[in-house]
Amino acid sequence: MKLKKLAQLVALMGVVGPVMAQDAAAPAMQRVEVTGSSIKRVAKEGALPVQVISFEQMEKQGITTAEQLVRTLSANGTGAENMTSGNNVFGADADRLAGGASFASLRGLGPGATLVLLNGRRVATHGASGRAVDLNSIPLGAISRVEILKDGASAIYGTDAIGGVINFILKTNYSGVEASVSTNDTQAGGGATRRASILAGTGSLEEGRYNIMVSLTVDKAQRLNGSDRSFVNGYQPGRGLSPDTTGTPFANQLAGAGTALGTAFQLPGDPNQYLQANPLSFQGKCDSVAGMSQYQTALWKDVTSPLRTKYSCAYDYGADYVLQFPVERANFLSRGTFKLAPDHRMFVEALGSRTKATAILTPMQVQTSIANKAVYPVGGAYYQDLSAYIPSFDKTKPIAYKWRANDVGNRTQENTTDNARVLLGFEGNFGKWDYKTGVSYAQSTTKTKLTDGYSYTDKLYAALGTGIINPWVGAGQSQTEAAKQLIESTKFRGAFQHGKTTLTQIDGAVSGELFQLPAGAVAMAAGFDLRREGYSFEQDVDANLILLAPGNAALKDVSRNVKAVYAELLVPIMKDLEMQLAVRRDDYSQVGATTNPKIALRYQPADFILFRASASKGFLAPSFDQLYSGVLTQELPNGVKDPEGCIKHPGVKEYCSIDRLSYTTGGNLNLKPETSKQGSVGIVIEPVKGYSASFDYWAINTQDQLLKRTPKVVLDNYQALNQYIFRKADGTIDYVQAGWFNAGGSRVRGLDVSLRGEGKVQDVKWTATLDGTYMDSFKFAEYKGQEYKELVGNFYTRDLYLRWKHNASFSVSHGDWSGLLVQSFASGYKDQVPNDGKGTPPPGFKADVSSYTTYNLSGTYTGFKNTTLTLGIQNLFDRDPPFTAHNVDEVVGAGWDPRVADPRGRAFTFQLKYKFL
């Protein structure tokens, strides 16, 4: 069976697994294409730098989606590319076009630096964000295996694979019919998943000269709420965790010219001028409303001004977060292969998928002011007189307030992504020369509907200004019917935005032997890859009319051509030493051309040991969204500090506690491509047959790394990035320019470890494996000239770079029975320190987040005719995620972190598979 192209030259040339334990095998061995190389070779000579995961292994672990699979990889980053973290509005660098999508990020270098392939060829990137392949589009039910190449920058398939490659290999030449159903139910309730699939094939290439296969898989994930899990709790001030927000369901009053509180207020005997007030705070009753608490001023005094928070309530909106939102997927694949002649084949492949993900966000936070005319009117039925607490309160004036608009509902987005690809290919050989070629077209379309929780800005402000809506609903109270109808009249529901990516590709390659040297044949391969990539993104309505609407500005119909040629040479220097040389030239019509080489060495002095090494260069062009997306103006929450201005004007509100600071974000036409230099050295040993180990030390240096700069990054580095802070004539900040930029770069070092063992005790066969990654160093610079900062083992708002991650398994089989135990481990790290690391944290704060270990156990029985039964328990010991006190405004998760842990808890899986033919 042919292992089709996976992004990159065999460079690392050793297996992550037992490379020497080859069967002594049949005398006539078929040449196959080694993953990562276009040169076909005798199979027993192939040494693959890949981790291989079979479909059967995935099924036994209860893995039903490509996202779940990728999260088990030790080489994958510990970042916010998963669907739980992606379903958020937290963090100014959140990808607001990726709702319902999930991505891979090998080495933690970002989704754009990981090349995801299907049968060795590219597929269209996500229809909305356009930067990387959505893992939901992968037809996992038709997968034969997955191969993960951990060495990056492929001179053969794309030097944009800086982090590495994940290749999903489809089943081919399948004959028969099989159907399967599976369920996965959590012990604590919520978050159940269901899956059904059918696979059918007919014909034989050897006998009937054809094979036709079809596959259909549908699956569904149910909603899991934060309230369903006890560890989801953002109010634990004794441990250094509390909400840093004053947007509450029982609104906090705000100071402002022309309002009841005036520009500020004072209390008797207190010289400070305060900016917010809440009667529940004065009474010590903030917690009388569900989810609310007294704002913990001491915990955040250097982040948010105490003048704003001392007499305010806070709201644990992080605990309201939807941990797993509803998702429905359907994947269809059809493949026909036809033998045109004994050594020539044609195949046609059609792929289609639909993912409907309902992203459910917490209710919007509304801030009223004299300017937006949404202040609560004098004489309104719910006018809140604070004269008893604030002597200067002027009840002849309206009230400005900040309100978590729970009565408007959860912001709900229905994201539907349709993927399609058609491929026509030819492959075969002329004597000792092999060829392959194909033409394909792929597209991904994402449509977003807003179904609840969003209102027209003008309509909502006008409705609030009537006084009919009560922003101070207490415990046991609710809005009147008139208020509910008025709120409903402000809402927008319907089609909101849509995006589309397209990929047209023609590729081809030839490979064979050139001539003989004393140590063996010199082999070569050469090929081309021509692509046309397209992207468009449009709003169905004017997003500026809808309060806190998600998404980006329109970007209509942009495209580029990519022309690439490559060549590869395999040279046997001596009997036990091979050298591979490869070079690739890419020419992007709107970015420019680049030529990148790669060299690899493979030395096997004895049957039980192998050495390997590689070096290469990479090149990642900016995406359409990164280059061309329009500029959007957004706002940061109240209380942001101007680090330069506050030093010069201490205690002045306009500098030290800014109201709704504006910032811009969007594309950047001045972006340069990200470049990399990388290399690795490794050893594979098999001292005894059936026992092997591999160790690969790797290093990646990037420059001009493509990152989305947040306003916080600009403000925190104001001396170096002052050109992105725009000020008014009086010196106060007008707005901050954020968005896409070229960072200084990163320097990454690590060690991959793979251990394998197998044996037999009487009639019981056993296998033990471990795949782990030790992250030695990940140093990063936000901008050129900044000193590189070590991130491994430390909290970070983008990715967590954990020191060690591994998956280990132990399986046994006897007759019709088999069992599998899998351990997943992620090491701990230093937590985010409250109050921006200033001052002394509370006594209960622990600086270290614990490691996270889970076990999955499954058993399979095949004793019934044509039937396979699998029962399993995920998270066998029901391990809760480790506690973390990070600020929910910067990273999703109140008291826990979805980048590391699974919130579902112990779950029970059942799968039934039946083969009809």
Side-chain angles (χ1 to χ4, degrees):
M1 184 179 295
K2 187 175 180 180
L3 310 182
K4 295 212 168 191
K5 21 183 198 168
L6 213 175
Q8 114 163 9
L9 170 60
V10 160
L12 236 76
M13 300 294 302
V15 284
V16 180
V19 289
M20 269 61 78
Q22 305 288 350
D23 293 333
M29 299 194 68
Q30 195 174 19
R31 291 202 315 274
V32 297
E33 184 179 324
V34 176
T35 298
S37 172
S38 288
I39 297 174
K40 285 193 173 184
R41 317 169 65 191
V42 177
K44 72 175 183 179
E45 295 177 357
L48 310 179
V50 321
Q51 178 181 351
V52 180
I53 302 174
S54 70
F55 184 69
E56 181 183 16
Q57 289 173 306
M58 290 183 268
E59 286 187 312
K60 289 182 176 181
Q61 293 186 57
I63 294 173
T64 58
T65 68
E67 177 189 340
Q68 290 175 325
L69 172 68
V70 168
R71 293 196 69 172
T72 68
L73 304 178
S74 65
N76 195 59
T78 310
E81 288 75 33
N82 58 82
M83 295 180 76
T84 301
S85 295
N87 176 31
N88 79 93
V89 292
F90 306 152
D93 60 345
D95 185 352
R96 299 168 195 272
L97 295 180
S102 62
F103 306 100
S105 176
L106 293 178
R107 307 302 187 198
L109 292 172
T114 297
L115 188 57
V116 175
L117 303 175
L118 185 63
N119 262 17
R121 285 185 166 91
R122 295 176 185 247
V123 294
T125 55
H126 183 244
S129 68
R131 278 183 280 145
V133 173
D134 178 12
L135 295 175
N136 290 299
S137 67
I138 302 298
L140 210 60
I143 295 297
S144 171
R145 65 191 178 280
V146 182
E147 300 175 351
I148 302 95
L149 188 58
K150 302 176 184 180
D151 185 39
S154 167
I156 302 302
Y157 304 114
T159 48
D160 51 349
I162 291 174
V165 184
I166 302 176
N167 192 14
F168 293 87
I169 307 293
L170 298 172
K171 294 182 175 74
T172 57
N173 204 24
Y174 176 84
S175 181
V177 179
E178 65 179 54
S180 68
V181 293
S182 65
T183 67
N184 185 299
D185 293 273
T186 63
Q187 180 176 306
T193 63
R194 305 283 184 266
R195 181 181 184 184
S197 66
I198 186 167
L199 175 66
T202 183
S204 168
L205 288 177
E206 290 73 26
E207 298 177 5
R209 301 170 63 91
Y210 78 96
N211 177 262
I212 297 175
M213 180 190 74
V214 293
S215 169
L216 175 65
T217 302
V218 294
D219 58 270
K220 183 176 182 179
Q222 298 176 358
R223 177 173 172 172
L224 176 61
N225 295 314
S227 58
D228 295 333
R229 296 294 182 266
S230 61
F231 59 80
V232 181
N233 178 6
Y235 182 70
Q236 302 181 58
R239 304 173 76 179
L241 174 63
S242 73
D244 179 24
T245 178
T246 56
T248 55
F250 190 96
N252 288 292
Q253 290 196 26
L254 304 178
T259 68
L261 288 181
T263 55
F265 67 88
Q266 289 180 280
L267 299 180
D270 187 343
N272 292 313
Q273 294 189 336
Y274 295 100
L275 305 172
Q276 289 184 192
N278 193 306
L280 297 181
S281 176
F282 286 115
Q283 300 168 27
K285 295 181 179 180
C286 283
D287 59 358
S288 64
V289 177
M292 282 177 42
S293 60
Q294 174 63 45
Y295 187 95
Q296 301 298 297
T297 298
L299 199 59
W300 300 108
K301 63 184 179 63
D302 293 299
V303 174
T304 303
S305 172
L307 301 178
R308 186 173 297 282
T309 63
K310 185 174 182 179
Y311 298 108
S312 297
C313 296
Y315 180 58
D316 187 9
Y317 68 98
D320 280 349
Y321 196 66
V322 175
L323 310 182
Q324 175 180 293
F325 53 87
V327 181
E328 297 178 6
R329 301 182 190 86
N331 283 282
F332 173 80
L333 173 73
S334 177
R335 179 183 173 95
T337 308
F338 308 92
K339 182 179 285 190
L340 304 177
D343 296 321
H344 304 278
R345 295 171 300 281
M346 178 184 76
F347 59 92
V348 181
E349 194 174 279
L351 168 70
S353 69
R354 166 166 288 190
T355 301
K356 185 168 76 173
T358 304
I360 304 169
L361 316 178
T362 53
M364 71 175 74
Q365 186 173 262
V366 178
Q367 182 169 320
T368 69
S369 66
I370 295 293
N372 61 32
K373 301 179 181 179
V375 289
Y376 196 85
V378 176
Y382 310 107
Y383 189 88
Q384 192 180 74
D385 184 358
L386 298 186
S387 299
Y389 309 103
I390 303 172
S392 62
F393 187 88
D394 188 350
K395 56 187 177 183
T396 66
K397 290 187 171 62
I399 299 171
Y401 57 89
K402 184 190 284 187
W403 180 45
R404 175 69 63 171
N406 286 10
D407 295 307
V408 180
N410 287 326
R411 285 168 286 180
T412 307
Q413 307 167 13
E414 184 182 280
N415 300 288
T416 302
T417 299
D418 293 315
N419 292 277
R421 187 181 80 163
V422 291
L423 166 67
L424 173 64
F426 298 87
E427 59 188 14
N429 62 278
F430 295 96
K432 293 185 177 181
W433 287 87
D434 302 288
Y435 72 89
K436 58 183 178 182
T437 187
V439 57
S440 64
Y441 175 80
Q443 69 175 42
S444 177
T445 303
T446 299
K447 298 178 180 179
T448 298
K449 293 181 180 179
L450 304 185
T451 59
D452 199 14
Y454 290 94
S455 293
Y456 286 104
T457 304
D458 291 346
K459 287 185 178 181
L460 181 61
Y461 285 165
L464 295 176
T466 65
I468 296 173
I469 298 170
N470 181 10
W472 299 288
V473 174
Q477 299 177 339
S478 62
Q479 298 286 350
T480 65
E481 285 303 314
K484 292 177 181 178
Q485 292 177 15
L486 183 57
I487 290 172
E488 185 63 30
S489 71
T490 70
K491 290 186 178 180
F492 170 82
R493 288 189 173 93
F496 176 67
Q497 63 191 17
H498 60 275
K500 180 180 180 180
T501 63
T502 59
L503 173 65
T504 303
Q505 183 175 15
I506 302 174
D507 62 81
V510 295
S511 66
E513 296 180 358
L514 289 177
F515 53 86
Q516 290 287 329
L517 290 178
V522 174
M524 66 80 66
F528 68 92
D529 179 9
L530 306 177
R531 306 193 306 273
R532 183 172 180 82
E533 303 171 346
Y535 177 65
S536 65
F537 179 80
E538 297 182 73
Q539 300 283 357
D540 297 298
V541 296
D542 185 351
N544 294 316
L545 302 178
I546 301 169
L547 187 61
L548 297 180
N552 287 357
L555 175 60
K556 189 174 181 180
D557 294 334
V558 290
S559 62
R560 67 186 177 198
N561 297 322
V562 184
K563 296 177 288 185
V565 292
Y566 60 87
E568 177 187 3
L569 199 63
L570 177 65
V571 182
I573 299 174
M574 33 191 244
K575 181 180 178 182
D576 303 318
L577 177 64
E578 289 181 344
M579 177 176 66
Q580 280 192 310
L581 300 171
V583 64
R584 180 184 179 96
R585 181 171 177 80
D586 295 273
D587 188 351
Y588 289 78
S589 60
Q590 294 175 328
V591 178
T594 177
T595 301
N596 294 283
K598 185 155 192 173
I599 182 172
L601 295 170
R602 178 183 186 274
Y603 179 53
Q604 188 173 352
D607 289 343
F608 64 89
I609 191 167
L610 177 148
F611 299 95
R612 59 193 182 216
S614 71
S616 60
K617 295 175 67 176
F619 173 92
L620 176 61
S623 70
F624 293 118
D625 174 54
Q626 293 166 339
L627 285 169
Y628 304 117
S629 63
V631 175
L632 285 182
T633 300
Q634 303 177 66
E635 293 180 331
L636 291 171
N638 279 352
V640 174
K641 181 185 293 186
D642 173 357
E644 182 179 16
C646 191
I647 293 173
K648 298 177 181 178
H649 308 277
V652 177
K653 168 180 173 289
E654 288 76 14
Y655 294 96
C656 301
S657 186
I658 304 171
D659 283 338
R660 313 294 288 182
L661 178 64
S662 295
Y663 71 94
T664 62
T665 184
N668 182 356
L669 289 172
N670 296 317
L671 286 178
K672 295 186 292 185
E674 181 177 332
T675 59
S676 70
K677 294 180 180 179
Q678 49 225 105
S680 63
V681 292
I683 182 174
V684 185
I685 57 174
E686 188 183 30
V688 179
K689 185 176 181 180
Y691 295 84
S692 66
S694 68
F695 304 90
D696 289 281
Y697 187 80
W698 48 268
I700 305 171
N701 289 350
T702 70
Q703 289 186 336
D704 297 317
Q705 193 166 346
L706 299 165
L707 284 177
K708 198 172 187 180
R709 175 188 283 132
T710 69
K712 184 177 186 303
V713 168
V714 176
L715 293 172
D716 288 348
N717 300 280
Y718 70 92
Q719 290 108 330
L721 303 176
N722 204 42
Q723 67 270 32
Y724 300 105
I725 301 175
F726 295 84
R727 297 182 179 275
K728 301 176 185 176
D730 62 2
T732 60
I733 297 178
D734 185 15
Y735 69 94
V736 174
Q737 181 181 334
W740 288 104
F741 75 113
N742 288 111
S746 59
R747 298 171 182 173
V748 193
R749 308 286 184 270
L751 177 71
D752 288 330
V753 178
S754 180
L755 308 176
R756 296 288 188 272
E758 61 183 10
K760 189 174 183 180
V761 179
Q762 295 182 347
D763 293 330
V764 178
K765 296 180 180 179
W766 64 268
T767 303
T769 69
L770 182 145
D771 287 290
T773 297
Y774 177 85
M775 186 72 77
D776 181 43
S777 177
F778 195 114
K779 292 184 177 181
F780 175 71
E782 288 277 2
Y783 55 89
K784 290 185 177 180
Q786 183 188 44
E787 184 178 352
Y788 280 78
K789 180 181 179 181
E790 181 61 72
L791 301 179
V792 172
N794 297 308
F795 177 86
Y796 193 52
T797 56
R798 293 192 183 100
D799 277 45
L800 291 171
Y801 299 98
L802 305 182
R803 183 67 70 186
W804 173 258
K805 292 168 61 178
H806 77 247
N807 265 20
S809 69
F810 182 77
S811 63
V812 295
S813 61
H814 175 67
D816 296 325
W817 294 91
S818 63
L820 176 66
L821 177 66
V822 177
Q823 180 200 61
S824 297
F825 175 84
S827 62
Y829 55 95
K830 295 293 182 183
D831 204 357
Q832 184 180 33
V833 182
N835 194 31
D836 204 22
K838 300 173 183 175
T840 303
F845 173 74
K846 293 184 178 180
D848 296 302
V849 178
S850 301
S851 61
Y852 183 62
T853 307
T854 58
Y855 294 87
N856 296 342
L857 178 66
S858 66
T860 300
Y861 180 67
T862 58
F864 301 117
K865 184 179 180 180
N866 298 332
T867 303
T868 302
L869 293 173
T870 300
L871 298 175
I873 304 176
Q874 294 178 310
N875 198 347
L876 180 63
F877 299 109
D878 200 21
R879 171 75 187 274
D880 282 343
F883 173 80
T884 165
H886 71 256
N887 187 347
V888 146
D889 278 334
E890 296 177 350
V891 173
V892 172
W896 73 291
D897 196 324
R899 296 177 296 176
V900 173
D902 185 346
R904 301 175 76 249
R906 183 184 289 131
F908 304 95
T909 65
F910 168 77
Q911 184 188 62
L912 170 64
K913 180 187 290 186
Y914 185 79
K915 292 187 177 182
F916 295 91
L917 297 172

